Amino acid sequence: MVSFDRVAIIGLGLIGSSLTRAITDKGQASSVFGFDGSEAVRAEARDIKGFGAEITDTLEEAVSNADLVIMAVPVGAVGALAEELCPYLKEGAILSDVGSVKKSIIDAVLPHLPETCYFVPGHPVAGTEYSGPKAGFSTLFEGRWCILTPLPNTPRSEVEKVSNLWAGLGSDVEEMDAEHHDIVLAITSHIPHLIAYNIVGTAADLEEVTSSEVIKYSAGGFRDFTRIAASDPVMWRDVFMNNKDAVLEMLGRFTEDLTQLQRHIRRGDAKALEDLFTRTREIRRSIVEAGQETEKPDFGR
Amino acid sequence: MVSFDRVAIIGLGLIGSSLTRAITDKGQASSVFGFDGSEAVRAEARDIKGFGAEITDTLEEAVSNADLVIMAVPVGAVGALAEELCPYLKEGAILSDVGSVKKSIIDAVLPHLPETCYFVPGHPVAGTEYSGPKAGFSTLFEGRWCILTPLPNTPRSEVEKVSNLWAGLGSDVEEMDAEHHDIVLAITSHIPHLIAYNIVGTAADLEEVTSSEVIKYSAGGFRDFTRIAASDPVMWRDVFMNNKDAVLEMLGRFTEDLTQLQRHIRRGDAKALEDLFTRTREIRRSIVEAGQETEKPDFGR
Protein backbone atom coordinates (compact mmCIF):
# COMPACT_ATOMS: atom_id res chain seq x y z
CA MET A 1 0.00 0.00 0.00
CA VAL A 2 1.39 3.33 -1.13
CA SER A 3 2.49 5.57 1.74
CA PHE A 4 3.55 8.45 -0.46
CA ASP A 5 3.01 9.43 -4.05
CA ARG A 6 6.49 10.69 -4.90
CA VAL A 7 9.58 9.97 -2.81
CA ALA A 8 13.10 11.31 -3.27
CA ILE A 9 16.17 9.66 -1.73
CA ILE A 10 19.21 11.92 -1.49
CA GLY A 11 22.45 10.05 -0.93
CA LEU A 12 22.80 6.62 -2.51
CA GLY A 13 25.11 4.75 -0.16
CA LEU A 14 24.19 1.63 1.77
CA ILE A 15 21.10 3.12 3.40
CA GLY A 16 19.92 5.25 0.48
CA SER A 17 20.28 2.39 -1.98
CA SER A 18 18.47 0.03 0.40
CA LEU A 19 15.64 2.57 0.65
CA THR A 20 15.24 2.86 -3.11
CA ARG A 21 15.06 -0.93 -3.44
CA ALA A 22 12.85 -1.46 -0.42
CA ILE A 23 10.34 1.29 -1.16
CA THR A 24 9.98 0.12 -4.75
CA ASP A 25 9.89 -3.62 -4.03
CA LYS A 26 7.33 -3.17 -1.28
CA GLY A 27 5.22 -0.76 -3.28
CA GLN A 28 5.41 2.04 -0.73
CA ALA A 29 5.45 4.87 -3.29
CA SER A 30 4.10 5.55 -6.76
CA SER A 31 7.47 6.87 -7.88
CA VAL A 32 10.97 7.02 -6.42
CA PHE A 33 13.73 9.39 -7.43
CA GLY A 34 17.33 9.21 -6.37
CA PHE A 35 20.19 11.67 -6.36
CA ASP A 36 23.75 11.64 -5.11
CA GLY A 37 26.25 14.49 -5.11
CA SER A 38 28.81 12.25 -6.76
CA GLU A 39 28.52 11.79 -10.51
CA ALA A 40 30.35 8.48 -10.24
CA VAL A 41 27.80 7.19 -7.74
CA ARG A 42 24.91 8.31 -9.95
CA ALA A 43 26.47 6.45 -12.88
CA GLU A 44 27.00 3.34 -10.77
CA ALA A 45 23.40 3.46 -9.51
CA ARG A 46 22.03 3.82 -13.01
CA ASP A 47 23.81 0.59 -13.95
CA ILE A 48 22.25 -1.46 -11.18
CA LYS A 49 19.33 -3.53 -12.30
CA GLY A 50 16.39 -3.24 -9.93
CA PHE A 51 17.91 -0.26 -8.14
CA GLY A 52 14.40 1.03 -7.60
CA ALA A 53 14.72 4.71 -8.46
CA GLU A 54 15.04 7.07 -11.38
CA ILE A 55 18.38 8.80 -10.91
CA THR A 56 18.23 12.53 -11.60
CA ASP A 57 21.07 14.75 -12.77
CA THR A 58 20.39 17.48 -10.26
CA LEU A 59 19.22 17.77 -6.68
CA GLU A 60 16.42 20.09 -7.78
CA GLU A 61 14.92 17.53 -10.17
CA ALA A 62 14.79 14.93 -7.44
CA VAL A 63 13.36 17.17 -4.73
CA SER A 64 10.84 19.29 -6.62
CA ASN A 65 7.34 17.88 -6.34
CA ALA A 66 8.42 15.16 -3.94
CA ASP A 67 5.97 14.44 -1.12
CA LEU A 68 8.75 12.92 1.00
CA VAL A 69 12.48 13.64 0.79
CA ILE A 70 14.79 11.40 2.79
CA MET A 71 18.35 12.61 3.34
CA ALA A 72 20.70 9.64 3.52
CA VAL A 73 24.08 11.33 3.65
CA PRO A 74 26.72 11.32 6.42
CA VAL A 75 25.53 13.14 9.51
CA GLY A 76 28.07 15.95 9.07
CA ALA A 77 26.77 16.73 5.59
CA VAL A 78 23.09 16.96 6.48
CA GLY A 79 23.07 20.64 7.38
CA ALA A 80 24.64 21.75 4.11
CA LEU A 81 22.35 19.42 2.17
CA ALA A 82 19.27 20.78 3.91
CA GLU A 83 20.34 24.32 3.11
CA GLU A 84 20.68 23.38 -0.55
CA LEU A 85 17.49 21.37 -1.02
CA CYS A 86 14.98 23.20 1.18
CA PRO A 87 14.28 25.97 -1.37
CA TYR A 88 13.07 23.26 -3.82
CA LEU A 89 10.64 21.57 -1.42
CA LYS A 90 7.02 21.90 -2.43
CA GLU A 91 4.47 23.16 0.03
CA GLY A 92 3.46 20.54 2.58
CA ALA A 93 6.39 18.26 1.73
CA ILE A 94 7.90 16.12 4.48
CA LEU A 95 11.65 16.13 4.94
CA SER A 96 13.19 13.20 6.81
CA ASP A 97 16.56 11.57 7.42
CA VAL A 98 18.24 8.38 8.60
CA GLY A 99 21.09 9.71 10.70
CA SER A 100 22.48 7.89 13.73
CA VAL A 101 22.39 11.06 15.82
CA LYS A 102 19.33 13.21 16.15
CA LYS A 103 19.81 16.38 18.17
CA SER A 104 22.64 17.80 16.11
CA ILE A 105 20.82 17.00 12.88
CA ILE A 106 17.69 18.76 14.08
CA ASP A 107 19.76 21.80 15.04
CA ALA A 108 21.40 21.80 11.59
CA VAL A 109 18.19 21.35 9.57
CA LEU A 110 15.56 23.52 11.25
CA PRO A 111 17.03 26.91 10.30
CA HIS A 112 16.51 26.01 6.61
CA LEU A 113 13.09 24.35 6.77
CA PRO A 114 10.35 26.29 4.96
CA GLU A 115 7.37 27.21 7.13
CA THR A 116 5.00 25.14 5.04
CA CYS A 117 7.07 21.95 5.25
CA TYR A 118 7.63 19.38 7.97
CA PHE A 119 10.76 17.74 9.29
CA VAL A 120 10.31 14.25 10.76
CA PRO A 121 13.72 13.04 11.91
CA GLY A 122 14.26 9.30 11.71
CA HIS A 123 16.87 6.64 12.38
CA PRO A 124 16.61 3.07 11.14
CA VAL A 125 18.78 0.96 13.47
CA ALA A 126 20.16 -1.22 10.71
CA GLY A 127 23.19 -1.54 8.51
CA THR A 128 26.11 -3.67 7.45
CA GLU A 129 29.80 -2.94 7.25
CA TYR A 130 29.61 -2.35 3.51
CA SER A 131 29.18 0.93 1.65
CA GLY A 132 27.98 2.33 -1.64
CA PRO A 133 25.06 1.92 -4.05
CA LYS A 134 25.80 -1.76 -4.72
CA ALA A 135 25.73 -2.61 -1.02
CA GLY A 136 22.05 -1.88 -0.49
CA PHE A 137 19.31 -4.50 -0.42
CA SER A 138 15.56 -4.28 0.04
CA THR A 139 15.29 -6.42 3.18
CA LEU A 140 17.77 -4.42 5.25
CA PHE A 141 15.06 -2.83 7.40
CA GLU A 142 12.94 -5.91 7.99
CA GLY A 143 12.59 -6.87 11.61
CA ARG A 144 14.60 -3.87 12.70
CA TRP A 145 13.63 -0.85 14.75
CA CYS A 146 13.21 2.59 13.26
CA ILE A 147 13.31 5.39 15.79
CA LEU A 148 11.51 8.64 14.99
CA THR A 149 12.13 11.79 17.04
CA PRO A 150 9.34 14.07 15.88
CA LEU A 151 9.35 17.73 16.86
CA PRO A 152 6.65 18.90 19.26
CA ASN A 153 4.87 21.11 16.69
CA THR A 154 4.60 18.55 13.92
CA PRO A 155 1.02 17.37 13.26
CA ARG A 156 0.51 13.71 14.12
CA SER A 157 -0.81 13.04 10.61
CA GLU A 158 2.56 13.88 9.07
CA VAL A 159 4.49 11.82 11.61
CA GLU A 160 2.24 8.85 10.97
CA LYS A 161 2.83 8.99 7.22
CA VAL A 162 6.54 8.46 7.89
CA SER A 163 5.81 5.86 10.51
CA ASN A 164 3.63 3.93 8.06
CA LEU A 165 6.34 4.02 5.43
CA TRP A 166 8.84 2.40 7.78
CA ALA A 167 6.28 -0.14 8.88
CA GLY A 168 5.74 -0.91 5.21
CA LEU A 169 9.47 -1.60 4.87
CA GLY A 170 9.19 -4.18 7.63
CA SER A 171 10.39 -2.14 10.57
CA ASP A 172 8.94 -1.65 14.02
CA VAL A 173 8.66 2.05 14.74
CA GLU A 174 9.35 3.73 18.06
CA GLU A 175 9.16 7.42 18.93
CA MET A 176 11.27 9.21 21.47
CA ASP A 177 12.81 12.50 22.43
CA ALA A 178 15.89 13.39 20.36
CA GLU A 179 18.19 13.75 23.35
CA HIS A 180 17.14 10.42 24.77
CA HIS A 181 17.75 8.84 21.38
CA ASP A 182 21.30 10.14 21.40
CA ILE A 183 22.02 8.64 24.81
CA VAL A 184 20.52 5.26 23.94
CA LEU A 185 22.46 5.08 20.72
CA ALA A 186 25.63 6.17 22.42
CA ILE A 187 25.63 2.97 24.44
CA THR A 188 24.07 0.54 21.98
CA SER A 189 25.98 1.67 18.94
CA HIS A 190 28.45 4.50 19.17
CA ILE A 191 30.53 3.22 22.06
CA PRO A 192 30.64 -0.35 20.68
CA HIS A 193 31.96 1.06 17.43
CA LEU A 194 34.50 3.24 19.19
CA ILE A 195 35.74 0.33 21.27
CA ALA A 196 35.99 -1.90 18.23
CA TYR A 197 37.94 0.73 16.33
CA ASN A 198 40.21 1.18 19.32
CA ILE A 199 41.05 -2.44 19.83
CA VAL A 200 41.83 -3.00 16.19
CA GLY A 201 44.13 0.03 16.31
CA THR A 202 45.83 -1.16 19.53
CA ALA A 203 46.48 -4.57 17.99
CA ALA A 204 47.91 -3.00 14.86
CA ASP A 205 50.47 -1.05 16.89
CA LEU A 206 52.03 -3.89 18.85
CA GLU A 207 55.70 -4.55 18.39
CA GLU A 208 55.94 -8.04 19.85
CA VAL A 209 52.92 -9.38 17.99
CA THR A 210 52.93 -9.07 14.23
CA SER A 211 49.80 -8.04 12.36
CA SER A 212 49.85 -11.32 10.51
CA GLU A 213 49.67 -13.11 13.86
CA VAL A 214 46.78 -10.91 14.93
CA ILE A 215 45.02 -11.73 11.69
CA LYS A 216 45.80 -15.44 11.82
CA TYR A 217 44.48 -15.95 15.32
CA SER A 218 41.55 -13.58 15.02
CA ALA A 219 38.97 -16.32 15.40
CA GLY A 220 39.65 -16.11 19.14
CA GLY A 221 37.35 -13.10 19.52
CA PHE A 222 39.11 -10.34 17.65
CA ARG A 223 37.36 -10.90 14.34
CA ASP A 224 33.94 -10.07 15.76
CA PHE A 225 35.27 -6.64 16.62
CA THR A 226 36.83 -6.09 13.26
CA ARG A 227 33.52 -6.31 11.46
CA ILE A 228 32.29 -3.24 13.26
CA ALA A 229 35.66 -1.57 12.80
CA ALA A 230 35.26 -1.94 9.04
CA SER A 231 32.25 0.35 9.01
CA ASP A 232 32.23 3.44 6.85
CA PRO A 233 34.93 5.82 8.17
CA VAL A 234 33.21 9.05 7.09
CA MET A 235 29.88 8.07 8.55
CA TRP A 236 31.44 7.21 11.85
CA ARG A 237 33.70 10.20 12.00
CA ASP A 238 30.58 12.35 11.71
CA VAL A 239 28.71 10.38 14.35
CA PHE A 240 31.41 11.02 16.94
CA MET A 241 31.72 14.66 15.94
CA ASN A 242 27.95 15.07 16.37
CA ASN A 243 27.12 13.10 19.49
CA LYS A 244 30.00 14.28 21.60
CA ASP A 245 28.32 14.78 24.96
CA ALA A 246 26.51 11.48 25.13
CA VAL A 247 29.54 9.60 23.80
CA LEU A 248 31.89 11.16 26.34
CA GLU A 249 29.44 10.39 29.14
CA MET A 250 29.19 6.73 28.13
CA LEU A 251 32.92 6.49 27.58
CA GLY A 252 33.49 7.74 31.10
CA ARG A 253 31.26 5.06 32.53
CA PHE A 254 32.82 2.38 30.36
CA THR A 255 36.28 3.33 31.52
CA GLU A 256 35.30 3.39 35.19
CA ASP A 257 33.91 -0.11 34.86
CA LEU A 258 36.94 -1.30 32.96
CA THR A 259 39.25 0.01 35.64
CA GLN A 260 37.32 -1.98 38.18
CA LEU A 261 37.69 -5.11 36.06
CA GLN A 262 41.38 -4.44 35.75
CA ARG A 263 41.53 -4.31 39.51
CA HIS A 264 39.73 -7.66 39.86
CA ILE A 265 42.30 -9.19 37.53
CA ARG A 266 45.29 -7.66 39.23
CA ARG A 267 44.03 -8.83 42.61
CA GLY A 268 43.00 -12.29 41.38
CA ASP A 269 39.34 -11.83 42.39
CA ALA A 270 37.93 -14.84 40.60
CA LYS A 271 34.48 -14.59 42.09
CA ALA A 272 33.94 -11.00 40.97
CA LEU A 273 34.87 -11.95 37.43
CA GLU A 274 32.67 -15.02 37.34
CA ASP A 275 29.72 -13.02 38.67
CA LEU A 276 30.01 -10.42 35.91
CA PHE A 277 30.40 -13.00 33.18
CA THR A 278 27.36 -14.92 34.38
CA ARG A 279 25.27 -11.74 34.42
CA THR A 280 26.28 -10.78 30.90
CA ARG A 281 25.41 -14.19 29.52
CA GLU A 282 21.82 -13.57 30.59
CA ILE A 283 21.72 -10.29 28.72
CA ARG A 284 22.78 -12.07 25.57
CA ARG A 285 19.99 -14.57 26.01
CA SER A 286 17.50 -11.70 26.33
CA ILE A 287 18.64 -10.27 23.03
CA VAL A 288 18.15 -13.58 21.25
CA GLU A 289 14.71 -13.87 22.78
CA ALA A 290 13.80 -10.32 21.80
CA GLY A 291 14.29 -11.46 18.22
CA GLN A 292 17.16 -9.10 17.58
CA GLU A 293 19.68 -11.86 17.06
CA THR A 294 20.10 -15.33 15.69
CA GLU A 295 20.71 -18.13 18.15
CA LYS A 296 22.79 -20.02 15.62
CA PRO A 297 26.21 -20.55 17.19
CA ASP A 298 28.81 -18.10 15.97
CA PHE A 299 26.18 -16.09 14.09
CA GLY A 300 25.67 -19.06 11.78
CA ARG A 301 29.07 -18.58 10.14
CA MET B 1 44.34 -42.02 8.81
CA VAL B 2 44.75 -43.02 12.42
CA SER B 3 47.05 -40.72 14.38
CA PHE B 4 46.76 -42.61 17.64
CA ASP B 5 45.52 -46.00 18.67
CA ARG B 6 43.69 -45.05 21.85
CA VAL B 7 42.68 -41.51 22.78
CA ALA B 8 41.09 -40.24 26.00
CA ILE B 9 39.27 -36.92 26.25
CA ILE B 10 38.89 -35.62 29.79
CA GLY B 11 36.26 -32.91 30.14
CA LEU B 12 33.23 -33.10 27.87
CA GLY B 13 32.20 -29.50 27.39
CA LEU B 14 32.12 -27.69 24.05
CA ILE B 15 35.74 -28.49 23.15
CA GLY B 16 35.91 -31.98 24.61
CA SER B 17 32.65 -33.01 22.96
CA SER B 18 33.80 -31.54 19.65
CA LEU B 19 37.02 -33.54 19.95
CA THR B 20 35.22 -36.82 20.55
CA ARG B 21 33.03 -36.24 17.52
CA ALA B 22 35.79 -34.92 15.28
CA ILE B 23 38.35 -37.60 16.11
CA THR B 24 35.81 -40.36 15.54
CA ASP B 25 34.19 -38.90 12.42
CA LYS B 26 37.56 -38.23 10.83
CA GLY B 27 38.98 -41.60 11.81
CA GLN B 28 41.91 -40.18 13.73
CA ALA B 29 41.98 -42.91 16.40
CA SER B 30 41.12 -46.58 16.71
CA SER B 31 39.22 -45.93 19.91
CA VAL B 32 38.10 -42.87 21.84
CA PHE B 33 37.21 -42.75 25.52
CA GLY B 34 35.61 -39.85 27.31
CA PHE B 35 35.33 -38.88 30.95
CA ASP B 36 33.95 -35.90 32.83
CA GLY B 37 34.06 -35.25 36.56
CA SER B 38 30.34 -34.55 36.57
CA GLU B 39 28.07 -37.56 36.63
CA ALA B 40 25.29 -35.49 35.05
CA VAL B 41 27.55 -34.61 32.13
CA ARG B 42 28.56 -38.24 31.67
CA ALA B 43 24.90 -39.24 31.59
CA GLU B 44 24.10 -36.50 29.09
CA ALA B 45 27.01 -37.53 26.86
CA ARG B 46 25.95 -41.17 26.91
CA ASP B 47 22.56 -40.10 25.57
CA ILE B 48 23.95 -38.26 22.59
CA LYS B 49 23.86 -40.23 19.37
CA GLY B 50 27.14 -40.08 17.50
CA PHE B 51 28.95 -38.57 20.48
CA GLY B 52 32.04 -40.39 19.33
CA ALA B 53 33.41 -41.83 22.56
CA GLU B 54 32.83 -44.55 25.07
CA ILE B 55 32.11 -42.77 28.35
CA THR B 56 33.87 -44.33 31.32
CA ASP B 57 32.76 -44.24 34.95
CA THR B 58 36.15 -43.31 36.29
CA LEU B 59 39.11 -41.19 35.26
CA GLU B 60 41.40 -44.19 35.61
CA GLU B 61 39.45 -46.27 33.12
CA ALA B 62 39.67 -43.52 30.53
CA VAL B 63 43.35 -42.74 31.01
CA SER B 64 44.92 -46.17 31.52
CA ASN B 65 46.35 -47.54 28.27
CA ALA B 66 45.60 -44.33 26.38
CA ASP B 67 48.29 -43.29 23.92
CA LEU B 68 47.04 -39.70 24.01
CA VAL B 69 45.15 -37.97 26.81
CA ILE B 70 43.70 -34.53 26.08
CA MET B 71 42.61 -32.42 29.04
CA ALA B 72 39.67 -30.23 28.05
CA VAL B 73 38.70 -28.69 31.37
CA PRO B 74 38.77 -25.03 32.45
CA VAL B 75 42.28 -23.69 32.70
CA GLY B 76 42.09 -23.32 36.49
CA ALA B 77 41.27 -27.00 36.89
CA VAL B 78 44.09 -28.39 34.76
CA GLY B 79 46.68 -28.61 37.52
CA ALA B 80 44.47 -30.61 39.85
CA LEU B 81 43.37 -32.84 36.99
CA ALA B 82 46.96 -33.51 35.94
CA GLU B 83 47.84 -34.44 39.52
CA GLU B 84 44.98 -36.92 39.55
CA LEU B 85 45.45 -38.55 36.18
CA CYS B 86 49.24 -38.66 35.78
CA PRO B 87 49.69 -41.76 37.96
CA TYR B 88 47.47 -43.68 35.50
CA LEU B 89 49.36 -42.73 32.36
CA LYS B 90 51.06 -45.60 30.64
CA GLU B 91 54.72 -45.40 29.74
CA GLY B 92 55.33 -43.27 26.65
CA ALA B 93 51.86 -41.73 26.71
CA ILE B 94 51.38 -38.18 25.47
CA LEU B 95 49.44 -35.74 27.61
CA SER B 96 48.00 -32.68 25.91
CA ASP B 97 45.46 -29.93 26.53
CA VAL B 98 43.38 -27.25 24.77
CA GLY B 99 43.70 -24.33 27.18
CA SER B 100 43.62 -20.71 26.07
CA VAL B 101 46.65 -19.90 28.19
CA LYS B 102 49.87 -21.88 28.03
CA LYS B 103 52.54 -20.80 30.49
CA SER B 104 50.47 -21.20 33.62
CA ILE B 105 49.20 -24.58 32.43
CA ILE B 106 52.73 -25.81 31.79
CA ASP B 107 53.77 -24.66 35.26
CA ALA B 108 50.78 -26.48 36.76
CA VAL B 109 51.24 -29.75 34.86
CA LEU B 110 54.98 -30.42 34.76
CA PRO B 111 55.43 -31.22 38.44
CA HIS B 112 53.08 -34.21 38.03
CA LEU B 113 54.26 -35.54 34.69
CA PRO B 114 55.88 -38.98 34.87
CA GLU B 115 59.44 -39.16 33.51
CA THR B 116 58.43 -41.61 30.81
CA CYS B 117 55.56 -39.50 29.47
CA TYR B 118 55.41 -36.40 27.33
CA PHE B 119 53.42 -33.18 27.66
CA VAL B 120 52.59 -31.40 24.40
CA PRO B 121 50.58 -28.29 25.28
CA GLY B 122 48.05 -27.23 22.69
CA HIS B 123 45.44 -24.59 22.00
CA PRO B 124 42.88 -24.81 19.20
CA VAL B 125 41.78 -21.24 18.44
CA ALA B 126 38.14 -22.14 17.98
CA GLY B 127 34.88 -22.08 19.87
CA THR B 128 31.34 -20.79 20.07
CA GLU B 129 29.46 -19.09 22.85
CA TYR B 130 27.71 -22.33 23.80
CA SER B 131 28.71 -24.84 26.45
CA GLY B 132 28.28 -28.45 27.40
CA PRO B 133 28.35 -31.88 25.74
CA LYS B 134 25.48 -31.10 23.38
CA ALA B 135 27.22 -27.99 22.06
CA GLY B 136 30.09 -29.81 20.38
CA PHE B 137 30.30 -30.61 16.69
CA SER B 138 32.87 -32.37 14.57
CA THR B 139 33.70 -29.49 12.20
CA LEU B 140 34.56 -26.97 14.92
CA PHE B 141 38.29 -27.17 14.24
CA GLU B 142 38.17 -27.10 10.45
CA GLY B 143 39.97 -24.18 8.89
CA ARG B 144 41.08 -22.95 12.30
CA TRP B 145 44.54 -22.61 13.77
CA CYS B 146 45.83 -24.87 16.48
CA ILE B 147 48.83 -23.54 18.35
CA LEU B 148 51.23 -25.98 20.00
CA THR B 149 53.81 -24.79 22.51
CA PRO B 150 56.06 -27.85 22.86
CA LEU B 151 58.67 -27.97 25.58
CA PRO B 152 62.30 -27.86 24.55
CA ASN B 153 63.08 -31.42 25.64
CA THR B 154 60.19 -33.14 23.91
CA PRO B 155 61.26 -35.34 20.98
CA ARG B 156 60.02 -34.04 17.61
CA SER B 157 58.37 -37.38 16.88
CA GLU B 158 55.96 -36.93 19.80
CA VAL B 159 55.16 -33.33 18.90
CA GLU B 160 54.44 -34.36 15.32
CA LYS B 161 51.97 -37.02 16.38
CA VAL B 162 49.90 -34.32 18.06
CA SER B 163 50.41 -31.98 15.13
CA ASN B 164 49.17 -34.67 12.73
CA LEU B 165 46.08 -35.26 14.82
CA TRP B 166 45.09 -31.61 14.63
CA ALA B 167 45.82 -31.53 10.94
CA GLY B 168 43.57 -34.54 10.62
CA LEU B 169 40.79 -32.57 12.31
CA GLY B 170 41.15 -29.91 9.64
CA SER B 171 43.28 -27.40 11.51
CA ASP B 172 46.42 -25.60 10.49
CA VAL B 173 49.07 -26.09 13.13
CA GLU B 174 51.55 -23.50 14.34
CA GLU B 175 54.24 -23.85 16.99
CA MET B 176 55.49 -21.10 19.24
CA ASP B 177 56.99 -20.31 22.60
CA ALA B 178 54.45 -20.46 25.46
CA GLU B 179 55.05 -16.92 26.63
CA HIS B 180 54.64 -15.52 23.14
CA HIS B 181 51.41 -17.46 22.80
CA ASP B 182 50.06 -15.83 25.91
CA ILE B 183 50.80 -12.35 24.60
CA VAL B 184 49.29 -13.03 21.17
CA LEU B 185 46.16 -14.47 22.69
CA ALA B 186 45.89 -11.62 25.16
CA ILE B 187 45.29 -9.22 22.28
CA THR B 188 43.42 -11.43 19.84
CA SER B 189 41.14 -13.09 22.33
CA HIS B 190 41.40 -12.23 26.02
CA ILE B 191 41.13 -8.47 25.76
CA PRO B 192 38.28 -8.61 23.20
CA HIS B 193 36.37 -10.81 25.61
CA LEU B 194 37.11 -8.55 28.55
CA ILE B 195 35.98 -5.49 26.63
CA ALA B 196 32.82 -7.21 25.50
CA TYR B 197 32.01 -8.29 29.04
CA ASN B 198 32.66 -4.78 30.24
CA ILE B 199 30.46 -3.01 27.77
CA VAL B 200 27.55 -5.33 28.38
CA GLY B 201 27.95 -4.71 32.10
CA THR B 202 28.16 -0.92 31.64
CA ALA B 203 24.99 -0.92 29.55
CA ALA B 204 23.18 -3.00 32.15
CA ASP B 205 23.93 -0.44 34.86
CA LEU B 206 22.59 2.68 33.18
CA GLU B 207 19.79 4.54 34.90
CA GLU B 208 18.60 6.70 32.00
CA VAL B 209 18.53 3.87 29.49
CA THR B 210 16.48 0.82 30.34
CA SER B 211 17.80 -2.64 29.65
CA SER B 212 14.87 -3.27 27.37
CA GLU B 213 15.96 -0.29 25.30
CA VAL B 214 19.50 -1.62 25.17
CA ILE B 215 18.16 -4.95 24.02
CA LYS B 216 15.73 -3.47 21.50
CA TYR B 217 18.27 -1.32 19.77
CA SER B 218 21.14 -3.78 19.98
CA ALA B 219 21.37 -4.23 16.22
CA GLY B 220 23.29 -0.95 16.21
CA GLY B 221 26.54 -2.68 17.17
CA PHE B 222 25.92 -3.86 20.70
CA ARG B 223 24.71 -7.32 19.78
CA ASP B 224 28.03 -8.28 18.20
CA PHE B 225 29.65 -7.73 21.57
CA THR B 226 27.07 -9.66 23.46
CA ARG B 227 27.85 -12.87 21.65
CA ILE B 228 31.36 -12.89 23.09
CA ALA B 229 30.01 -11.79 26.45
CA ALA B 230 27.84 -14.90 26.53
CA SER B 231 30.87 -17.17 26.58
CA ASP B 232 31.36 -19.67 29.36
CA PRO B 233 31.87 -17.72 32.62
CA VAL B 234 34.04 -20.32 34.34
CA MET B 235 36.33 -20.77 31.37
CA TRP B 236 36.85 -17.06 31.09
CA ARG B 237 37.27 -16.44 34.77
CA ASP B 238 40.14 -18.94 34.68
CA VAL B 239 41.70 -17.39 31.60
CA PHE B 240 41.96 -13.99 33.28
CA MET B 241 43.23 -15.52 36.50
CA ASN B 242 45.91 -17.36 34.55
CA ASN B 243 47.13 -14.85 31.99
CA LYS B 244 47.34 -11.86 34.28
CA ASP B 245 50.57 -10.25 33.16
CA ALA B 246 49.90 -10.30 29.44
CA VAL B 247 46.29 -9.21 29.93
CA LEU B 248 47.24 -6.28 32.15
CA GLU B 249 49.91 -5.22 29.66
CA MET B 250 47.43 -5.26 26.75
CA LEU B 251 44.77 -3.57 28.83
CA GLY B 252 47.19 -0.76 29.61
CA ARG B 253 47.85 -0.19 25.93
CA PHE B 254 44.17 -0.40 25.07
CA THR B 255 43.33 2.21 27.68
CA GLU B 256 46.10 4.56 26.56
CA ASP B 257 44.78 4.39 23.01
CA LEU B 258 41.20 4.86 24.15
CA THR B 259 42.15 7.96 26.12
CA GLN B 260 43.68 9.39 22.99
CA LEU B 261 40.47 8.67 21.05
CA GLN B 262 38.49 10.32 23.80
CA ARG B 263 40.69 13.35 23.40
CA HIS B 264 40.09 13.45 19.61
CA ILE B 265 36.36 13.40 20.26
CA ARG B 266 36.41 16.06 22.96
CA ARG B 267 38.50 18.31 20.75
CA GLY B 268 36.49 17.61 17.59
CA ASP B 269 39.49 16.29 15.66
CA ALA B 270 37.61 14.81 12.73
CA LYS B 271 40.66 14.02 10.68
CA ALA B 272 42.31 11.94 13.39
CA LEU B 273 39.15 9.87 13.75
CA GLU B 274 38.71 9.34 10.04
CA ASP B 275 42.34 8.27 9.68
CA LEU B 276 41.98 5.59 12.37
CA PHE B 277 38.72 4.28 10.99
CA THR B 278 40.15 4.03 7.49
CA ARG B 279 43.17 2.12 8.78
CA THR B 280 41.03 -0.35 10.70
CA ARG B 281 38.84 -1.08 7.71
CA GLU B 282 41.93 -2.38 5.94
CA ILE B 283 42.73 -4.74 8.77
CA ARG B 284 39.24 -6.18 8.50
CA ARG B 285 39.78 -6.78 4.80
CA SER B 286 43.00 -8.63 5.58
CA ILE B 287 41.17 -10.96 7.92
CA VAL B 288 38.58 -11.82 5.30
CA GLU B 289 41.33 -12.45 2.80
CA ALA B 290 43.27 -14.61 5.24
CA GLY B 291 40.26 -16.89 5.21
CA GLN B 292 39.51 -16.38 8.85
CA GLU B 293 36.17 -14.72 8.24
CA THR B 294 33.19 -14.72 5.96
CA GLU B 295 32.72 -11.74 3.69
CA LYS B 296 28.94 -12.13 3.81
CA PRO B 297 27.56 -8.85 5.12
CA ASP B 298 26.66 -8.94 8.80
CA PHE B 299 28.26 -12.41 9.17
CA GLY B 300 25.55 -13.78 6.87
CA ARG B 301 22.82 -13.31 9.51
Side-chain angles (χ1 to χ4, degrees), chain B residues 186-261:
Chain B
I187 191 62
T188 59
S189 177
H190 306 163
I191 295 297
H193 279 78
L194 193 69
I195 296 311
Y197 280 123
N198 192 59
I199 201 174
V200 175
T202 300
D205 289 340
L206 293 171
E207 306 93 32
E208 317 97 316
V209 181
T210 67
S211 42
S212 78
E213 284 180 307
V214 169
I215 288 166
K216 274 164 79 167
Y217 307 118
S218 56
F222 191 76
R223 70 176 177 170
D224 298 81
F225 280 57
T226 62
R227 184 190 78 83
I228 303 179
S231 301
D232 190 279
V234 170
M235 173 196 153
W236 282 96
R237 173 202 73 192
D238 281 2
V239 163
F240 293 116
M241 293 290 96
N242 288 279
N243 197 22
K244 188 164 117 171
D245 293 349
V247 164
L248 290 175
E249 166 67 21
M250 292 301 143
L251 201 41
R253 287 169 174 257
F254 174 87
T255 309
E256 284 158 26
D257 292 345
L258 191 61
T259 302
Q260 193 173 48
L261 258 184

Side-chain angles (χ1 to χ4, degrees), chain A residues 152-166:
Chain A
N153 300 340
T154 308
R156 284 306 307 164
S157 57
E158 307 313 299
V159 177
E160 274 160 30
K161 286 179 189 171
V162 179
S163 191
N164 290 339
L165 175 83
W166 284 103

